[in-house]
Amino acid sequence: MPPHTSATSTVAADTAQAPSRKPAPTAVEGGSFQKIAADTSRRGSLIVVWIALFILFGLLRPDQFLTVGTLQTIFGSQQALVFIGLGALCAFSVGEFDFSVAAVAGLSATLVAVLVSDQGVNVWLAALIAVAAAVGIGAFNALLIIKIGINPIVTTLGVATLLTGVSSRISNGGSVFLDSPELYKVAATNVLGLPISFYYGLALAAIFTYVMTSTPLGRHMLFVGSNRSVARLAMVRVDRIRVGAYISSSLLCGVGGVLLVGTVGGFDPASASTYLLPALSATFLGTAVIQPGRFNPAGSMIAIYFLATGIVGLQLLGFAGWISDVFYGSALIIAIVLSTLFRRDRRHS
């Protein structure tokens, strides 16, 4: 008989004679249930408020708000903001700031219209030049901030002011117009009641989410954004990721500007700055949903359409144009407070 057989038999006998013990409580049965419920509530809180807004405006203005036209306005007119917001997210994700995003989109839109309408350039070549110019601006930002070491807030605000002036100069101080059926078809073809560029935004957010959550690049971006010094010690190419973030930010904004002018058929360079506050509000508000305390593309997308719903609903209630600044500004303040609280809570959990 093998030497361990008797010991095994003894253990088996003891187990059979021992009184049944109550199994240890699982995570769901114990205190973790409340934690899971609270975490789930936080992740979907903005969605709940969004639904509540729909119900509120639907009750107050059912004949105006609960229409196909209103839904098309909310979901079909935010494409430029989606690209600008996700462009800003590229920089924020790695701990950088880029306040030139709206001005980059404005320059891109202006360039396309001027090159096609005034210079007779092929529309696709004009679009390529505009996007290339945007990429160049991103590289310029990276040079000043990363290589020279200038403060990113000061740098990108200065670049934004510079670009606004350049856009005004090449447009001769007024609005520019573009009559291009080819670009309009690519930017605004109706698909299931919404312009095709709406689906471009969804695809971009999905790709961005995949990169951030499922690739080494995304993990390195989050690492750099969380602690740049530790990331360097871990042999992450911090500066390369930072440069890539600024270039990607401007690239997305350049594409957004092209889609904007292709959809609308014109652009006023002076209006570029009006996209900055909504983009920042959506980016920070997005940290309060899906992944609380962390910049994430899905959260930003939800925040963009949440803000659009609020603005459209308030305008239907008869509020004047000033309500946009009040709503966006309030959303930005609340978003920054929530983001700070979530980050603090995550550090102490």
Side-chain angles (χ1 to χ4, degrees):
M1 177 180 292
H4 65 274
T5 303
S6 59
T8 304
S9 301
T10 302
V11 173
D14 291 342
T15 303
Q17 295 173 4
S20 59
R21 296 185 178 92
K22 185 178 179 180
T26 63
V28 175
E29 292 172 341
S32 296
F33 180 82
Q34 289 80 3
K35 184 176 181 180
I36 293 172
D39 185 61
T40 302
S41 175
R42 287 193 308 173
R43 290 174 184 270
S45 57
L46 185 63
I47 299 175
V48 173
V49 177
W50 189 15
I51 294 172
L53 274 185
F54 263 100
I55 295 174
L56 175 63
F57 293 137
L59 291 174
L60 295 176
R61 288 288 187 275
D63 56 330
Q64 295 176 296
F65 187 79
L66 298 179
T67 64
V68 173
T70 298
L71 293 178
Q72 289 175 330
T73 299
I74 293 173
F75 292 100
S77 61
Q78 308 300 316
Q79 290 74 27
L81 186 56
V82 167
F83 278 79
I84 295 171
L86 293 181
L89 188 66
C90 288
F92 288 133
S93 296
V94 299
E96 297 292 335
F97 293 92
D98 189 352
F99 294 147
S100 67
V101 286
V104 172
L107 178 64
S108 178
T110 304
L111 273 176
V112 173
V114 169
L115 289 174
V116 174
S117 301
D118 295 351
Q119 305 299 322
V121 177
N122 176 272
V123 66
W124 304 119
L125 178 59
L128 182 62
I129 293 173
V131 173
V135 170
I137 294 165
F140 181 65
N141 281 335
L143 173 66
L144 295 178
I145 295 166
I146 299 167
K147 298 302 180 183
I148 300 179
I150 304 176
N151 182 281
I153 296 177
V154 175
T155 299
T156 54
L157 284 175
V159 169
T161 305
L162 171 65
L163 296 180
T164 301
V166 171
S167 298
S168 180
R169 172 63 186 88
I170 63 178
S171 67
N172 294 318
S175 299
V176 291
F177 301 94
L178 175 66
D179 181 16
S180 174
E182 300 95 336
L183 186 56
Y184 181 85
K185 183 177 180 180
V186 170
T189 296
N190 189 294
V191 178
L192 300 178
L194 294 171
I196 192 171
S197 50
F198 167 77
Y199 302 98
Y200 297 160
L202 292 182
L204 175 62
I207 294 171
F208 201 163
T209 299
Y210 173 78
V211 170
M212 294 295 292
T213 60
S214 304
T215 67
L217 173 60
R219 289 189 287 272
H220 287 171
M221 289 176 66
L222 294 176
F223 199 3
V224 171
S226 299
N227 195 317
R228 195 176 297 166
S229 299
V230 176
R232 282 197 173 93
L233 293 176
M235 304 304 292
V236 175
R237 296 180 175 179
V238 173
D239 287 349
R240 179 174 294 186
I241 288 177
R242 294 170 66 198
V243 169
Y246 277 110
I247 292 176
S248 298
S249 174
S250 293
L251 170 64
L252 294 182
C253 293
V255 174
V258 172
L259 292 175
L260 174 62
V261 74
T263 301
V264 179
F267 185 71
D268 181 4
S271 69
S273 60
T274 61
Y275 288 91
L276 180 59
L277 183 57
L280 296 180
S281 299
T283 303
F284 278 94
L285 193 58
T287 63
V289 64
I290 308 298
Q291 294 177 296
R294 178 176 293 175
F295 293 106
N296 65 94
S300 295
M301 289 286 288
I302 292 172
I304 285 171
Y305 293 111
F306 164 80
L307 293 172
T309 301
I311 293 297
V312 171
L314 290 171
Q315 289 176 343
L316 290 177
L317 291 178
F319 289 92
W322 56 266
I323 197 63
S324 298
D325 290 336
V326 172
F327 191 73
Y328 285 133
S330 301
L332 180 57
I333 294 172
I334 293 171
I336 292 175
V337 171
L338 290 176
S339 177
T340 302
L341 293 176
F342 285 150
R343 288 170 184 265
R344 185 181 302 165
D345 181 63
R346 192 172 62 185
R347 284 198 301 266
H348 291 88
S349 60

